Amino acid sequence: MLHHELPDAIDLSHHLSKVARARVISPLKELQKYLGRSDIISLAGGLPHPDLFPVDELSANVYSQDAFPTEIPPTKPSLVSWITRLFSGRDQNKWDKLKVPRYPKQSGDINLATLLQYGLSTGSPQLQEFIKEFTSRVYKPAYGNWSILVHAGNTDGWMKAVMTLCDPGDVILTCEWTYPSAVATAHPLGIKPIPVPIDGEGMRSDALFEILSTWDEVERGAKRPRVMYTVPVGQNPTGATMHAQRKKEIYKNCVQFDVIIVEDDPYYFLQEGPYVPRKDRPVYAKANMNNEGFLTSLVPSYLSLDYQGRVVRLDTFSKTIAPGCRLGWFTCNPLFAERFERQGETSTQAPCGFGQAVVASLLMNWKFDGYVRWLQGLRAQYRERRNFCLDCFGDFFELEARSTASTAIYDGYIKTKPIQPSNKWTEEFVHREKRFPVFSFVPPTSGMFVWLQINFRDHSSFGRLGHKNLERRLMKEFAEAGVLIGPGFFFDPNMLDDANDEGPGHFRLSFSNEDFAVLRKAIGIMATVLEAFFYGGDRL
Amino acid sequence: MLHHELPDAIDLSHHLSKVARARVISPLKELQKYLGRSDIISLAGGLPHPDLFPVDELSANVYSQDAFPTEIPPTKPSLVSWITRLFSGRDQNKWDKLKVPRYPKQSGDINLATLLQYGLSTGSPQLQEFIKEFTSRVYKPAYGNWSILVHAGNTDGWMKAVMTLCDPGDVILTCEWTYPSAVATAHPLGIKPIPVPIDGEGMRSDALFEILSTWDEVERGAKRPRVMYTVPVGQNPTGATMHAQRKKEIYKNCVQFDVIIVEDDPYYFLQEGPYVPRKDRPVYAKANMNNEGFLTSLVPSYLSLDYQGRVVRLDTFSKTIAPGCRLGWFTCNPLFAERFERQGETSTQAPCGFGQAVVASLLMNWKFDGYVRWLQGLRAQYRERRNFCLDCFGDFFELEARSTASTAIYDGYIKTKPIQPSNKWTEEFVHREKRFPVFSFVPPTSGMFVWLQINFRDHSSFGRLGHKNLERRLMKEFAEAGVLIGPGFFFDPNMLDDANDEGPGHFRLSFSNEDFAVLRKAIGIMATVLEAFFYGGDRL
């Protein structure tokens, strides 16, 4: 085992919150640990008899691991072909039937008598075993005694991390734009965000160093941050993905300033790769990638750099199986894992047994290789969606690419239109007093989101209304035209505390959920709304 | 509707904790409320496409509502007959098959596309509707604008109640003996229990009045308690059940002193009724009770007395369907419900979709009347278990009943034995220096537990070792003989803070889980251990 060659986690117990320190082992649960012994009769727990559970057998029709192809061949750029090809690779015959009986046929079988019973908050042993193998082989933690522990999804995991690591009055490091629920979890507990500037790869390591090295406790009114919240892949909301080098720089800063990194990574397997505009995409299908090639193609997790045990990684099945699983896991040092387990005992207990039954039997059916194969298929589906979405922007706007040192940025202009509607382009365009990009974006290489920066500075009412007012008005105009998009202020970490007008304005658009034709329709509506908003005269 | 005739809840907003007051509406969730509108295209949420969920259909074989009889006819008192009759009423043909498809066939159908998606933390509309009807018809709240809200089981519900109602430094009222996880939830948050003396019906209203009316903030070092934690039916651990009159007295105290009652009531439908020793039980089967008769036979919930909205009732499917559901609900005033919902958004989110799918389709299949019928069958099964367990005590010990004003108490003596083993009783008994009850109990009329008070005062080492040491040693002797039982100190609300030696000692024994033959064997082992413990000489 590689583990034995790696160092153990260093002592990070000084990071535990007062609440976490005050937790004791639930005495009834302690007793429950004896329950597995075959020579003991237990009259200790208040457990119903499993014969009285009304569910005798649970079964599920599920996709096979290879229900979706790993690469989708390119097609001509017609909408019809997109729609007809939608999920074209899915073979309707590729089904498996899972069955979970009330009682196991042989020892180790997944069964309802156990999963629907009160259980340890560590969850089903079969699921634990799978997760342990998966974490070891995919994320390759750089220390020896890492632990895994199930939770009820990353929102639950983050809440447990906050309560275990932070005291009221503490501050946490976040990206300049961040997932609002993460802030909403910490805020009522008296814990405030410190936004760190970002670029196309997410959090900037130089900006982080600046904040940590110049921290003035008196001026800031809080101790130097000890905890960082980060979504390093397909960041929410910006879609940015951080590569190994940047992660190394940030990890080094965190070692120097003793910061715990909470890596919330739901989009890790949706690494779609660089966007190539439709006209430049190769017309041949790529060769199928094998599992090893797929895993090697993914940016490394912070875990793979973590030789000290200061990363709390949050994984979830929400994007890889379904959000309704409410099931995920921590990977972290054993001290934190034990405190999370204690917290679980007095809140969520074990994750739902029905969910565990389906997920565990699905994973045991697929096995490690099958699940990785499934993730490949999923990545290809999201790549197709990302491509389609950005292609639609190309169709409805004039997109111009420019590059910074590391990333391409696309500027979107309102399309020039022929004066006379015509089937072919003419040289006679609508006259515009001023041509300027109405938005710009970095094409996401992972995840579900496009983060549009809106160029309100060129709006005729900018001087009077400013960024935030224009953002709110544009949100309303989109909604009235029938399209709901998340406005940038939702993702401002300090939204809850102040209402400054610092720009620029943004919208987060998700390409993950709507059907392709609807997505295309929505982007068309956006083009109409944006044209009227910027060129329709001062109606605001 | 009766609701309209009832008053609304009074303003109880002064009970909200600082944390609860600081919660804001999660802005993304706010947007999500528009998602139901058919005329809106949403690109706002980070939702996977439901075609990508690997589960296409979930199905379950479930018992019919009448799989268990409502009354089980009495039998001769032989073990064999008990075992062969075990679940004798269950008709193996009484099955239903539930199916939950990916997409609904018609509007309102339970479906995986919705339940496995991100959803509002209020849970599935079908489940909400059922719960609302059930709460209204079964518990009959005495005010008009009560709300229901799903949670992930009563442990989760209680944790949310503590965080919503209590600040660090607060104290909460509990029973003198209480569910240890409830204390373990509050304790790390700096919230300590104030134990209230009990009798055979649970919390004493006179003792509660005494504590509240004489509360000295300075002497106690805390403000007068504002929150009570109570398990009023089949109390954990004592098994005590509180009737309407006592509840009225306690509710009146709570109105007078402005206390919020958190009614944790998992055993409500396991109201087995008074215990009649086997020899005195009627030999004829009772007539089947109809649903209305069953509901009328149950003690009222605090909700039925709650004209102010100061009761937070916690219901769970853990004992009526299965603990692994991790699903239950609050019934409370709308102000508290809204705060619980906000808390759910940043922790558990919605309960697991697989669990909701099974439970909601089971309940929609059974409907209100079917579920109540199922609960009747369940009550009969637990009554049988309770009877069997107490009968075993009668077989292995000499039980003598005595009565206090309201409740029967049984004293258990070590059985006298003939000097010569014989098939029939003789007049020649083993000589005992001293005959005394080694334990006593109030026969539970509800729930899963027998609470044995152990008479350590008559133990020869009592002077030297005291209650707590003897209790721990007896726990060890039981365990070494192969029987695990919960020792009384587990249920001491102040266990986490001190280690006083106040007696008497206790054990909580559960009759809910083990097979009948095993339960009988365990009580036989207890008799052997107790005899050696009390009469085996000073071996400790």
Side-chain angles (χ1 to χ4, degrees):
Chain A
M1 285 289 285
L2 190 61
H3 287 180
H4 299 303
E5 300 160 19
L6 294 171
D8 277 352
I10 63 170
D11 179 9
L12 293 164
S13 57
H14 54 285
H15 283 287
L16 292 176
S17 68
K18 288 193 188 74
V19 167
R21 280 165 218 262
R23 288 189 198 285
V24 292
I25 293 178
S26 166
L28 275 182
K29 293 282 170 178
E30 264 301 86
L31 234 166
Q32 207 172 30
K33 290 189 178 173
Y34 292 95
L35 291 179
R37 282 175 49 180
S38 59
D39 58 333
I40 286 265
I41 302 173
S42 176
L43 309 180
L47 284 68
H49 195 287
D51 267 357
L52 299 175
F53 300 162
V55 183
D56 194 62
E57 186 184 78
L58 191 69
S59 47
N61 294 342
V62 297
Y63 287 157
S64 302
Q65 59 193 54
D66 54 355
F68 297 110
T70 61
E71 294 288 345
I72 302 177
T75 49
K76 286 186 190 156
S78 89
L79 176 61
V80 175
S81 71
W82 275 99
I83 294 171
T84 55
R85 284 177 56 254
L86 177 56
F87 307 125
S88 58
R90 197 180 64 209
D91 183 338
Q92 295 293 339
N93 297 318
K94 290 191 170 176
W95 296 102
D96 292 319
K97 179 95 178 176
L98 306 177
K99 278 179 194 272
V100 185
R102 185 188 298 267
Y103 292 107
K105 286 191 185 107
Q106 54 192 48
S107 166
D109 280 359
I110 294 174
N111 64 86
L112 297 175
T114 304
L115 280 174
L116 299 187
Q117 190 52 278
Y118 287 108
L120 296 177
S121 45
T122 47
S124 125
Q126 294 91 342
L127 195 59
Q128 279 179 63
E129 203 181 320
F130 184 93
I131 288 172
K132 189 110 193 174
E133 182 190 0
F134 187 83
T135 302
S136 168
R137 292 177 64 178
V138 175
Y139 305 128
K140 302 183 178 65
Y143 65 110
N145 62 342
W146 52 275
S147 293
I148 55 109
L149 179 73
V150 291
H151 56 58
N154 282 9
T155 304
D156 176 55
W158 168 239
M159 195 273 289
K160 285 173 175 160
V162 170
M163 288 193 69
T164 295
L165 299 172
C166 303
D167 287 312
D170 282 353
V171 291
I172 49 173
L173 297 157
T174 70
C175 280
E176 192 181 347
W177 299 103
T178 194
Y179 178 46
S181 278
V183 177
T185 300
H187 184 269
L189 302 168
I191 298 154
K192 298 202 172 161
I194 300 296
V196 183
I198 59 171
D199 62 14
E201 259 197 75
M203 188 181 282
R204 277 171 42 202
S205 50
D206 59 333
L208 175 66
F209 180 82
E210 177 73 16
I211 288 172
L212 290 171
S213 61
T214 63
W215 190 268
D216 183 327
E217 208 171 301
V218 177
E219 188 197 322
R220 296 275 202 164
K223 287 186 194 154
R224 200 173 63 209
R226 292 182 299 100
V227 175
M228 172 191 292
Y229 173 79
T230 180
V231 181
V233 174
Q235 201 255 359
N236 190 343
T238 67
T241 295
M242 190 180 288
H243 292 266
Q245 181 53 36
R246 177 72 61 84
K247 278 180 178 155
K248 277 181 197 159
E249 292 160 17
I250 287 185
Y251 186 81
K252 195 179 156 203
N253 285 333
C254 291
V255 169
Q256 184 178 349
F257 295 100
D258 191 20
V259 172
I260 303 296
I261 299 173
V262 183
E263 181 179 40
D264 178 8
D265 215 353
Y267 312 106
Y268 186 78
F269 296 99
L270 312 183
Q271 297 188 31
E272 298 126 3
Y275 171 67
V276 177
R278 189 170 46 209
K279 63 181 171 50
D280 303 326
R281 283 204 290 273
V283 292
Y284 51 87
K286 279 191 197 168
N288 278 350
M289 206 179 242
N290 64 15
N291 273 348
E292 204 179 332
F294 169 67
L295 292 177
T296 308
S297 76
L298 302 176
V299 300
S301 159
Y302 271 115
L303 282 181
S304 71
L305 310 170
D306 184 22
Y307 61 92
Q308 292 192 320
R310 63 171 65 251
V311 173
V312 176
R313 184 179 165 86
L314 305 179
D315 271 283
T316 174
F317 291 109
S318 287
K319 272 73 177 186
T320 60
I321 294 180
C325 295
R326 305 316 311 133
L327 185 62
W329 74 95
F330 298 100
T331 309
C332 61
N333 69 58
L335 176 82
F336 291 179
E338 189 272 345
R339 293 287 90 183
F340 293 142
E341 188 180 342
R342 293 291 86 74
Q343 189 173 355
E345 283 167 6
T346 54
S347 56
T348 48
Q349 298 205 4
C352 172
F354 291 107
Q356 286 196 70
V358 176
V359 173
S361 38
L362 188 60
L363 295 174
M364 285 181 75
N365 181 54
W366 280 342
K367 299 196 178 60
F368 176 81
D369 284 325
Y371 183 50
V372 174
R373 172 62 188 80
W374 166 258
L375 295 172
Q376 273 208 70
L378 217 52
R379 171 169 80 161
Q381 292 294 321
Y382 280 97
R383 180 191 294 137
E384 201 70 348
R385 290 190 153 264
R386 190 272 319 264
N387 287 350
F388 179 80
C389 175
L390 298 190
D391 289 351
C392 288
F393 275 103
D395 291 341
F396 287 108
F397 296 90
E398 284 169 16
L399 279 192
E400 291 179 13
R402 62 184 154 99
S403 280
T404 64
S406 64
T407 20
I409 297 177
Y410 283 72
D411 291 320
Y413 295 82
I414 298 297
K415 233 176 166 164
T416 50
K417 282 183 188 164
I419 285 172
Q420 297 296 331
S422 153
N423 282 332
K424 54 177 294 197
W425 296 98
T426 79
E427 290 302 300
E428 295 176 301
F429 293 115
V430 170
H431 174 68
R432 303 226 186 271
E433 280 182 29
K434 196 175 161 193
R435 185 173 186 266
F436 54 87
V438 294
F439 61 81
S440 54
F441 64 82
V442 175
T445 61
S446 307
M448 299 178 159
F449 306 118
V450 182
W451 181 239
L452 298 172
Q453 179 179 316
I454 312 289
N455 181 19
F456 290 123
R457 287 201 176 277
D458 278 319
H459 192 281
S460 54
S461 304
F462 177 74
R464 188 162 52 85
L465 293 172
H467 288 289
K468 298 284 157 178
N469 282 321
L470 285 171
E471 191 179 277
R472 279 188 163 80
R473 299 210 181 187
L474 182 53
M475 172 178 78
K476 198 161 163 263
E477 304 229 342
F478 282 144
E480 283 178 2
V483 179
L484 220 54
I485 326 180
F489 75 86
F490 275 18
F491 306 95
D492 176 355
N494 286 318
M495 180 191 67
L496 302 175
D497 286 313
D498 54 34
N500 69 50
D501 194 49
E502 274 175 40
H506 292 91
F507 280 86
R508 189 197 76 174
L509 175 152
S510 164
F511 54 79
S512 56
N513 181 247
E514 290 286 5
D515 289 334
F516 280 44
V518 178
L519 184 55
R520 186 175 175 85
K521 183 180 167 196
I523 294 169
I525 293 172
M526 286 173 66
T528 308
V529 169
L530 280 168
E531 180 169 2
F533 190 80
F534 278 97
Y535 292 103
D538 193 358
R539 308 162 300 119
L540 303 181
Chain B
M1 285 289 288
L2 189 60
H3 288 178
H4 299 302
E5 301 161 18
L6 294 171
D8 277 351
I10 63 170
D11 178 8
L12 293 164
S13 57
H14 55 285
H15 283 287
L16 292 177
S17 67
K18 287 192 188 76
V19 167
R21 279 167 218 260
R23 287 188 199 285
V24 292
I25 292 178
S26 168
L28 275 182
K29 294 280 170 180
E30 264 302 85
L31 233 168
Q32 207 171 34
K33 289 187 180 176
Y34 293 94
L35 291 179
R37 283 174 50 179
S38 59
D39 57 333
I40 285 265
I41 302 173
S42 177
L43 309 180
L47 284 67
H49 195 286
D51 266 357
L52 299 175
F53 301 162
V55 184
D56 193 64
E57 185 184 78
L58 190 69
S59 49
N61 294 340
V62 297
Y63 287 157
S64 302
Q65 59 192 55
D66 55 354
F68 297 109
T70 61
E71 293 287 344
I72 302 177
T75 50
K76 286 186 189 158
S78 88
L79 176 61
V80 175
S81 71
W82 275 99
I83 295 171
T84 55
R85 285 178 54 254
L86 176 57
F87 306 126
S88 58
R90 196 180 64 209
D91 183 338
Q92 294 294 340
N93 297 319
K94 290 192 170 176
W95 296 102
D96 291 320
K97 179 94 177 176
L98 307 176
K99 279 179 195 274
V100 184
R102 187 189 297 267
Y103 292 108
K105 287 192 185 106
Q106 54 192 47
S107 166
D109 280 358
I110 294 174
N111 64 86
L112 297 175
T114 304
L115 280 175
L116 298 187
Q117 190 53 278
Y118 287 108
L120 296 177
S121 46
T122 47
S124 123
Q126 295 90 344
L127 195 59
Q128 281 180 60
E129 202 181 320
F130 184 93
I131 287 172
K132 190 111 194 173
E133 181 189 3
F134 187 84
T135 302
S136 168
R137 292 178 63 178
V138 175
Y139 305 129
K140 302 181 177 67
Y143 66 109
N145 62 342
W146 53 274
S147 292
I148 55 111
L149 179 73
V150 291
H151 56 58
N154 281 9
T155 303
D156 175 56
W158 168 239
M159 195 274 289
K160 285 173 175 159
V162 169
M163 287 193 67
T164 295
L165 299 172
C166 303
D167 287 313
D170 281 353
V171 291
I172 49 174
L173 297 157
T174 70
C175 280
E176 191 181 349
W177 300 102
T178 194
Y179 178 46
S181 277
V183 177
T185 300
H187 184 268
L189 302 169
I191 298 152
K192 297 204 170 160
I194 300 297
V196 183
I198 59 171
D199 63 14
E201 258 196 78
M203 188 181 282
R204 279 171 41 202
S205 50
D206 59 333
L208 174 67
F209 181 82
E210 177 72 16
I211 288 172
L212 290 171
S213 62
T214 64
W215 190 266
D216 183 327
E217 208 170 299
V218 178
E219 188 197 322
R220 295 274 201 164
K223 286 184 194 155
R224 199 173 63 206
R226 292 183 298 101
V227 175
M228 172 190 293
Y229 173 79
T230 179
V231 182
V233 174
Q235 200 256 356
N236 190 346
T238 67
T241 295
M242 190 179 287
H243 292 266
Q245 181 53 35
R246 176 73 61 84
K247 279 181 177 154
K248 278 181 196 159
E249 291 160 18
I250 287 185
Y251 186 81
K252 194 178 158 204
N253 286 333
C254 291
V255 169
Q256 184 177 351
F257 295 100
D258 192 18
V259 173
I260 302 297
I261 299 173
V262 182
E263 180 179 42
D264 179 9
D265 214 354
Y267 312 106
Y268 185 78
F269 296 98
L270 312 184
Q271 296 189 32
E272 297 125 6
Y275 172 67
V276 178
R278 189 170 48 210
K279 63 181 171 51
D280 302 327
R281 284 205 289 273
V283 292
Y284 50 87
K286 281 190 196 168
N288 279 350
M289 205 177 243
N290 64 15
N291 274 346
E292 203 179 335
F294 168 66
L295 291 176
T296 309
S297 76
L298 303 175
V299 300
S301 158
Y302 271 114
L303 282 181
S304 71
L305 310 169
D306 184 22
Y307 61 92
Q308 293 191 318
R310 62 173 63 252
V311 173
V312 176
R313 183 178 166 88
L314 306 178
D315 270 283
T316 175
F317 291 108
S318 288
K319 273 73 176 185
T320 59
I321 295 180
C325 296
R326 306 316 312 133
L327 186 61
W329 74 95
F330 298 99
T331 309
C332 61
N333 68 58
L335 176 83
F336 290 179
E338 189 272 344
R339 295 286 90 184
F340 293 143
E341 189 181 341
R342 294 289 87 74
Q343 188 172 358
E345 282 167 5
T346 54
S347 56
T348 48
Q349 298 205 3
C352 172
F354 291 107
Q356 287 196 69
V358 176
V359 173
S361 37
L362 188 61
L363 295 174
M364 285 182 75
N365 182 53
W366 279 341
K367 300 196 175 62
F368 176 80
D369 284 325
Y371 183 50
V372 174
R373 172 62 188 80
W374 165 258
L375 294 172
Q376 273 209 71
L378 216 54
R379 170 167 83 161
Q381 292 294 321
Y382 280 97
R383 179 191 292 135
E384 200 71 347
R385 290 191 153 264
R386 190 271 319 266
N387 287 350
F388 179 79
C389 175
L390 299 189
D391 289 352
C392 287
F393 276 104
D395 291 342
F396 287 108
F397 297 90
E398 285 170 15
L399 281 191
E400 289 179 13
R402 62 187 155 96
S403 281
T404 63
S406 64
T407 20
I409 296 178
Y410 283 71
D411 293 320
Y413 296 81
I414 298 297
K415 230 175 173 167
T416 50
K417 282 182 187 163
I419 285 171
Q420 298 296 331
S422 155
N423 281 332
K424 55 180 289 199
W425 295 97
T426 76
E427 291 301 301
E428 298 173 300
F429 292 115
V430 170
H431 175 67
R432 303 227 185 269
E433 279 181 27
K434 198 176 161 192
R435 186 174 185 267
F436 55 87
V438 293
F439 62 80
S440 54
F441 63 83
V442 175
T445 61
S446 307
M448 300 180 160
F449 306 118
V450 183
W451 181 240
L452 298 172
Q453 179 178 316
I454 311 289
N455 180 19
F456 290 123
R457 289 201 175 278
D458 278 319
H459 192 281
S460 54
S461 302
F462 177 74
R464 189 162 52 83
L465 293 172
H467 288 289
K468 298 283 159 180
N469 283 320
L470 284 171
E471 190 178 278
R472 279 187 163 80
R473 299 210 182 190
L474 181 54
M475 171 178 77
K476 199 163 162 260
E477 303 228 344
F478 281 145
E480 282 178 1
V483 179
L484 221 54
I485 326 179
F489 75 88
F490 276 18
F491 306 95
D492 176 356
N494 286 317
M495 181 193 66
L496 301 175
D497 285 315
D498 55 32
N500 69 51
D501 195 50
E502 272 174 42
H506 291 91
F507 280 85
R508 188 196 77 173
L509 176 151
S510 162
F511 53 79
S512 56
N513 181 247
E514 290 287 5
D515 289 334
F516 280 43
V518 178
L519 183 55
R520 187 177 174 84
K521 184 181 165 194
I523 295 170
I525 292 172
M526 286 174 66
T528 309
V529 170
L530 281 168
E531 180 168 2
F533 189 80
F534 278 97
Y535 292 103
D538 193 356
R539 306 162 301 117
L540 303 180

